[in-house]
Amino acid sequence: MQRIEALVQRVRAQGGKVTAQRMLIWRALEGDQTHPTAEDLYARLKPVLPGLSLATLYNALNELVEWGEVRRFDAGDGHIHYDPDCSAHAELVCLKCHTIIDAPQEVAPQPAIPDEIAGYRILARSEQYFGICPACRAARA
Amino acid sequence: MQRIEALVQRVRAQGGKVTAQRMLIWRALEGDQTHPTAEDLYARLKPVLPGLSLATLYNALNELVEWGEVRRFDAGDGHIHYDPDCSAHAELVCLKCHTIIDAPQEVAPQPAIPDEIAGYRILARSEQYFGICPACRAARA
DNA sequence: TTCTTTGCAAATCGTTTGCAGCATG
DNA sequence: CATGCTGCAAACGATTTGCAAAGAA
């Protein structure tokens, strides 16, 4: 995710309004590394801005995804997770318990995201390794 | 996805049954490169086995995902897509129209999937590049 | 026969939508 | 003051679940 200043400009340039809700959501996402779901964010933000509606949160999240500012991904737990980090990094996702952690650096040795591939203007990249986490391996099956 | 023979053994080893439905679903998935959704598959299989139920299809798909035989991913269109190819390859996903195509070879230069990362037993890998496809770029916004 | 899986239909629940009121530019 | 955004609640729709019947081992 770019810095918030840039988002403010983007919205204004499109004739949109910079509202308290958007700012709040952007700030909450900025630098977040917990791969939150919409519900996670809602639980976190509702106390701060009690009037906040889930619909508004979804609106803001969808905008960010369309702009390539935030990445959505399915961890296989039936919930959509959001990650403001669109740079080249990988996640480890457990197929059993759906835990998500960032993979160690050495796993994603391709730091640069090409601007364009096959005519697509590339805005974000997602990479995940699916497997069985140590805890689930220990628990066997 | 491994070959079907191996799946048959896997199910039997777990004390499961090799049913006509599972076989049908496995065969349909084998080598499929269209990134189908559950509905896509259902539409394709229902005529072949009219009694087939969506619930059964979901069961089979979820099994395959848990086994690391099939990869699920969210293309941002509100539908879950399945891909039996768990080897190292990337997809291009359009953030506007949600088209999905396989990326050209040269984009995924890391062919090998490590067996283990940070204690996780790795079964599958997913990589996606999100952006704006040529058609949507032409259409502007 | 025994135990798993299927099929049906209802239930679930995350996400989207419609619309009136409000706030931003 | 004009438009776009919010909040609410209802609508939606994909996926899951419960249970009786069917089928594999």
PDB file of all heavy atoms in Angstrom, chain A residues 93-105:
ATOM      1  N   VAL A  93       0.579 -21.074   4.380  1.00  0.00           N
ATOM      2  CA  VAL A  93      -0.795 -21.309   4.812  1.00  0.00           C
ATOM      3  C   VAL A  93      -0.960 -22.779   5.157  1.00  0.00           C
ATOM      4  O   VAL A  93      -0.643 -23.644   4.343  1.00  0.00           O
ATOM      5  CB  VAL A  93      -1.796 -20.955   3.688  1.00  0.00           C
ATOM      6  CG1 VAL A  93      -3.224 -21.161   4.155  1.00  0.00           C
ATOM      7  CG2 VAL A  93      -1.583 -19.524   3.211  1.00  0.00           C
ATOM      8  N   CYS A  94      -1.452 -23.047   6.361  1.00  0.00           N
ATOM      9  CA  CYS A  94      -1.654 -24.452   6.741  1.00  0.00           C
ATOM     10  C   CYS A  94      -2.993 -24.936   6.209  1.00  0.00           C
ATOM     11  O   CYS A  94      -4.035 -24.311   6.441  1.00  0.00           O
ATOM     12  CB  CYS A  94      -1.611 -24.623   8.252  1.00  0.00           C
ATOM     13  SG  CYS A  94      -1.874 -26.352   8.726  1.00  0.00           S
ATOM     14  N   LEU A  95      -2.957 -26.048   5.502  1.00  0.00           N
ATOM     15  CA  LEU A  95      -4.180 -26.597   4.909  1.00  0.00           C
ATOM     16  C   LEU A  95      -5.113 -27.192   5.954  1.00  0.00           C
ATOM     17  O   LEU A  95      -6.297 -27.411   5.689  1.00  0.00           O
ATOM     18  CB  LEU A  95      -3.820 -27.664   3.872  1.00  0.00           C
ATOM     19  CG  LEU A  95      -3.129 -27.145   2.603  1.00  0.00           C
ATOM     20  CD1 LEU A  95      -2.553 -28.294   1.800  1.00  0.00           C
ATOM     21  CD2 LEU A  95      -4.098 -26.352   1.767  1.00  0.00           C
ATOM     22  N   LYS A  96      -4.583 -27.486   7.127  1.00  0.00           N
ATOM     23  CA  LYS A  96      -5.422 -28.069   8.187  1.00  0.00           C
ATOM     24  C   LYS A  96      -6.033 -26.982   9.061  1.00  0.00           C
ATOM     25  O   LYS A  96      -7.238 -26.890   9.197  1.00  0.00           O
ATOM     26  CB  LYS A  96      -4.584 -28.995   9.069  1.00  0.00           C
ATOM     27  CG  LYS A  96      -4.083 -30.248   8.384  1.00  0.00           C
ATOM     28  CD  LYS A  96      -5.174 -31.280   8.224  1.00  0.00           C
ATOM     29  CE  LYS A  96      -4.595 -32.563   7.613  1.00  0.00           C
ATOM     30  NZ  LYS A  96      -5.636 -33.395   7.006  1.00  0.00           N
ATOM     31  N   CYS A  97      -5.180 -26.162   9.675  1.00  0.00           N
ATOM     32  CA  CYS A  97      -5.694 -25.213  10.663  1.00  0.00           C
ATOM     33  C   CYS A  97      -5.797 -23.795  10.110  1.00  0.00           C
ATOM     34  O   CYS A  97      -6.264 -22.899  10.794  1.00  0.00           O
ATOM     35  CB  CYS A  97      -4.828 -25.231  11.924  1.00  0.00           C
ATOM     36  SG  CYS A  97      -3.145 -24.619  11.682  1.00  0.00           S
ATOM     37  N   HIS A  98      -5.353 -23.588   8.881  1.00  0.00           N
ATOM     38  CA  HIS A  98      -5.493 -22.310   8.186  1.00  0.00           C
ATOM     39  C   HIS A  98      -4.712 -21.169   8.820  1.00  0.00           C
ATOM     40  O   HIS A  98      -5.052 -20.003   8.638  1.00  0.00           O
ATOM     41  CB  HIS A  98      -6.965 -21.937   8.047  1.00  0.00           C
ATOM     42  CG  HIS A  98      -7.770 -23.022   7.429  1.00  0.00           C
ATOM     43  ND1 HIS A  98      -7.568 -23.466   6.147  1.00  0.00           N
ATOM     44  CD2 HIS A  98      -8.737 -23.819   7.930  1.00  0.00           C
ATOM     45  CE1 HIS A  98      -8.401 -24.454   5.889  1.00  0.00           C
ATOM     46  NE2 HIS A  98      -9.114 -24.703   6.944  1.00  0.00           N
ATOM     47  N   THR A  99      -3.726 -21.517   9.593  1.00  0.00           N
ATOM     48  CA  THR A  99      -2.814 -20.500  10.104  1.00  0.00           C
ATOM     49  C   THR A  99      -2.076 -19.865   8.933  1.00  0.00           C
ATOM     50  O   THR A  99      -1.763 -20.526   7.956  1.00  0.00           O
ATOM     51  CB  THR A  99      -1.771 -21.164  11.028  1.00  0.00           C
ATOM     52  OG1 THR A  99      -2.448 -21.760  12.124  1.00  0.00           O
ATOM     53  CG2 THR A  99      -0.761 -20.152  11.527  1.00  0.00           C
ATOM     54  N   ILE A 100      -1.796 -18.584   9.037  1.00  0.00           N
ATOM     55  CA  ILE A 100      -1.048 -17.893   7.994  1.00  0.00           C
ATOM     56  C   ILE A 100       0.144 -17.181   8.611  1.00  0.00           C
ATOM     57  O   ILE A 100      -0.027 -16.409   9.546  1.00  0.00           O
ATOM     58  CB  ILE A 100      -1.902 -16.801   7.319  1.00  0.00           C
ATOM     59  CG1 ILE A 100      -3.232 -17.370   6.862  1.00  0.00           C
ATOM     60  CG2 ILE A 100      -1.138 -16.172   6.168  1.00  0.00           C
ATOM     61  CD1 ILE A 100      -4.233 -16.291   6.511  1.00  0.00           C
ATOM     62  N   ILE A 101       1.308 -17.442   8.091  1.00  0.00           N
ATOM     63  CA  ILE A 101       2.455 -16.649   8.525  1.00  0.00           C
ATOM     64  C   ILE A 101       3.243 -16.212   7.296  1.00  0.00           C
ATOM     65  O   ILE A 101       3.149 -16.827   6.240  1.00  0.00           O
ATOM     66  CB  ILE A 101       3.396 -17.430   9.479  1.00  0.00           C
ATOM     67  CG1 ILE A 101       4.082 -18.586   8.750  1.00  0.00           C
ATOM     68  CG2 ILE A 101       2.642 -17.942  10.686  1.00  0.00           C
ATOM     69  CD1 ILE A 101       5.171 -19.264   9.571  1.00  0.00           C
ATOM     70  N   ASP A 102       3.981 -15.141   7.442  1.00  0.00           N
ATOM     71  CA  ASP A 102       4.829 -14.729   6.339  1.00  0.00           C
ATOM     72  C   ASP A 102       5.988 -15.699   6.227  1.00  0.00           C
ATOM     73  O   ASP A 102       6.542 -16.133   7.229  1.00  0.00           O
ATOM     74  CB  ASP A 102       5.351 -13.305   6.562  1.00  0.00           C
ATOM     75  CG  ASP A 102       4.279 -12.269   6.243  1.00  0.00           C
ATOM     76  OD1 ASP A 102       3.375 -12.580   5.453  1.00  0.00           O
ATOM     77  OD2 ASP A 102       4.342 -11.156   6.786  1.00  0.00           O
ATOM     78  N   ALA A 103       6.314 -16.035   4.991  1.00  0.00           N
ATOM     79  CA  ALA A 103       7.421 -16.964   4.779  1.00  0.00           C
ATOM     80  C   ALA A 103       8.749 -16.241   5.001  1.00  0.00           C
ATOM     81  O   ALA A 103       8.838 -15.028   4.834  1.00  0.00           O
ATOM     82  CB  ALA A 103       7.359 -17.517   3.364  1.00  0.00           C
ATOM     83  N   PRO A 104       9.750 -16.992   5.394  1.00  0.00           N
ATOM     84  CA  PRO A 104      11.078 -16.387   5.542  1.00  0.00           C
ATOM     85  C   PRO A 104      11.562 -15.816   4.206  1.00  0.00           C
ATOM     86  O   PRO A 104      11.219 -16.324   3.145  1.00  0.00           O
ATOM     87  CB  PRO A 104      11.952 -17.543   6.018  1.00  0.00           C
ATOM     88  CG  PRO A 104      11.166 -18.784   5.777  1.00  0.00           C
ATOM     89  CD  PRO A 104       9.736 -18.396   5.768  1.00  0.00           C
ATOM     90  N   GLN A 105      12.302 -14.759   4.286  1.00  0.00           N
ATOM     91  CA  GLN A 105      12.815 -14.039   3.118  1.00  0.00           C
ATOM     92  C   GLN A 105      13.330 -14.919   1.995  1.00  0.00           C
ATOM     93  O   GLN A 105      13.017 -14.724   0.838  1.00  0.00           O
ATOM     94  CB  GLN A 105      13.971 -13.125   3.557  1.00  0.00           C
ATOM     95  CG  GLN A 105      13.544 -11.926   4.377  1.00  0.00           C
ATOM     96  CD  GLN A 105      12.855 -10.874   3.537  1.00  0.00           C
ATOM     97  OE1 GLN A 105      13.059 -10.831   2.325  1.00  0.00           O
ATOM     98  NE2 GLN A 105      12.017 -10.065   4.148  1.00  0.00           N
TER      99      GLN A 105
END
